[in-house]
PDB file of all heavy atoms in Angstrom:
ATOM      1  N   THR W 112      21.872  26.309  24.472  1.00  0.00           N
ATOM      2  CA  THR W 112      23.268  26.561  24.088  1.00  0.00           C
ATOM      3  C   THR W 112      23.406  27.848  23.292  1.00  0.00           C
ATOM      4  O   THR W 112      22.468  28.274  22.614  1.00  0.00           O
ATOM      5  CB  THR W 112      23.821  25.382  23.261  1.00  0.00           C
ATOM      6  OG1 THR W 112      25.147  25.672  22.862  1.00  0.00           O
ATOM      7  CG2 THR W 112      22.969  25.118  22.040  1.00  0.00           C
ATOM      8  N   LYS W 113      24.581  28.463  23.377  1.00  0.00           N
ATOM      9  CA  LYS W 113      24.896  29.616  22.536  1.00  0.00           C
ATOM     10  C   LYS W 113      25.320  29.143  21.149  1.00  0.00           C
ATOM     11  O   LYS W 113      25.253  29.882  20.179  1.00  0.00           O
ATOM     12  CB  LYS W 113      26.064  30.410  23.153  1.00  0.00           C
ATOM     13  CG  LYS W 113      25.718  31.158  24.426  1.00  0.00           C
ATOM     14  CD  LYS W 113      26.968  31.855  24.966  1.00  0.00           C
ATOM     15  CE  LYS W 113      26.657  32.551  26.296  1.00  0.00           C
ATOM     16  NZ  LYS W 113      27.888  33.131  26.899  1.00  0.00           N
ATOM     17  N   SER W 114      25.789  27.922  21.087  1.00  0.00           N
ATOM     18  CA  SER W 114      26.370  27.421  19.839  1.00  0.00           C
ATOM     19  C   SER W 114      25.297  26.919  18.882  1.00  0.00           C
ATOM     20  O   SER W 114      24.329  26.287  19.286  1.00  0.00           O
ATOM     21  CB  SER W 114      27.333  26.266  20.142  1.00  0.00           C
ATOM     22  OG  SER W 114      27.770  25.681  18.942  1.00  0.00           O
ATOM     23  N   GLU W 115      25.486  27.225  17.599  1.00  0.00           N
ATOM     24  CA  GLU W 115      24.588  26.694  16.574  1.00  0.00           C
ATOM     25  C   GLU W 115      25.325  25.649  15.728  1.00  0.00           C
ATOM     26  O   GLU W 115      24.911  25.341  14.612  1.00  0.00           O
ATOM     27  CB  GLU W 115      24.061  27.820  15.685  1.00  0.00           C
ATOM     28  CG  GLU W 115      23.173  28.802  16.449  1.00  0.00           C
ATOM     29  CD  GLU W 115      22.539  29.843  15.538  1.00  0.00           C
ATOM     30  OE1 GLU W 115      22.183  29.484  14.394  1.00  0.00           O
ATOM     31  OE2 GLU W 115      22.401  30.994  15.958  1.00  0.00           O
ATOM     32  N   GLU W 116      26.409  25.113  16.276  1.00  0.00           N
ATOM     33  CA  GLU W 116      27.161  24.114  15.524  1.00  0.00           C
ATOM     34  C   GLU W 116      26.338  22.842  15.342  1.00  0.00           C
ATOM     35  O   GLU W 116      25.740  22.338  16.289  1.00  0.00           O
ATOM     36  CB  GLU W 116      28.477  23.799  16.246  1.00  0.00           C
ATOM     37  CG  GLU W 116      29.492  24.941  16.181  1.00  0.00           C
ATOM     38  CD  GLU W 116      30.859  24.485  16.650  1.00  0.00           C
ATOM     39  OE1 GLU W 116      31.327  23.427  16.166  1.00  0.00           O
ATOM     40  OE2 GLU W 116      31.442  25.158  17.508  1.00  0.00           O
ATOM     41  N   GLU W 117      26.362  22.341  14.126  1.00  0.00           N
ATOM     42  CA  GLU W 117      25.487  21.223  13.756  1.00  0.00           C
ATOM     43  C   GLU W 117      25.798  19.965  14.552  1.00  0.00           C
ATOM     44  O   GLU W 117      24.895  19.233  14.958  1.00  0.00           O
ATOM     45  CB  GLU W 117      25.627  20.954  12.260  1.00  0.00           C
ATOM     46  CG  GLU W 117      24.563  20.005  11.716  1.00  0.00           C
ATOM     47  CD  GLU W 117      24.626  19.895  10.201  1.00  0.00           C
ATOM     48  OE1 GLU W 117      25.312  20.714   9.559  1.00  0.00           O
ATOM     49  OE2 GLU W 117      23.994  18.974   9.667  1.00  0.00           O
ATOM     50  N   TYR W 118      27.097  19.710  14.809  1.00  0.00           N
ATOM     51  CA  TYR W 118      27.440  18.454  15.481  1.00  0.00           C
ATOM     52  C   TYR W 118      26.876  18.422  16.900  1.00  0.00           C
ATOM     53  O   TYR W 118      26.503  17.358  17.402  1.00  0.00           O
ATOM     54  CB  TYR W 118      28.959  18.234  15.484  1.00  0.00           C
ATOM     55  CG  TYR W 118      29.712  18.873  16.638  1.00  0.00           C
ATOM     56  CD1 TYR W 118      29.955  18.152  17.815  1.00  0.00           C
ATOM     57  CD2 TYR W 118      30.136  20.196  16.565  1.00  0.00           C
ATOM     58  CE1 TYR W 118      30.637  18.741  18.876  1.00  0.00           C
ATOM     59  CE2 TYR W 118      30.816  20.784  17.621  1.00  0.00           C
ATOM     60  CZ  TYR W 118      31.063  20.047  18.772  1.00  0.00           C
ATOM     61  OH  TYR W 118      31.721  20.620  19.827  1.00  0.00           O
ATOM     62  N   ILE W 119      26.797  19.592  17.560  1.00  0.00           N
ATOM     63  CA  ILE W 119      26.232  19.638  18.917  1.00  0.00           C
ATOM     64  C   ILE W 119      24.741  19.302  18.866  1.00  0.00           C
ATOM     65  O   ILE W 119      24.224  18.527  19.672  1.00  0.00           O
ATOM     66  CB  ILE W 119      26.466  21.021  19.568  1.00  0.00           C
ATOM     67  CG1 ILE W 119      27.959  21.231  19.814  1.00  0.00           C
ATOM     68  CG2 ILE W 119      25.684  21.141  20.876  1.00  0.00           C
ATOM     69  CD1 ILE W 119      28.317  22.585  20.389  1.00  0.00           C
ATOM     70  N   MET W 120      24.041  19.897  17.894  1.00  0.00           N
ATOM     71  CA  MET W 120      22.616  19.588  17.723  1.00  0.00           C
ATOM     72  C   MET W 120      22.413  18.089  17.484  1.00  0.00           C
ATOM     73  O   MET W 120      21.548  17.458  18.087  1.00  0.00           O
ATOM     74  CB  MET W 120      22.034  20.374  16.535  1.00  0.00           C
ATOM     75  CG  MET W 120      22.006  21.878  16.709  1.00  0.00           C
ATOM     76  SD  MET W 120      21.241  22.656  15.255  1.00  0.00           S
ATOM     77  CE  MET W 120      21.574  24.386  15.576  1.00  0.00           C
TER      78      MET W 120
END
Side-chain angles (χ1 to χ4, degrees):
T112 178
K113 289 178 183 175
S114 173
E115 295 186 36
E116 289 192 49
E117 192 173 347
Y118 87 92
I119 293 177
M120 295 182 189

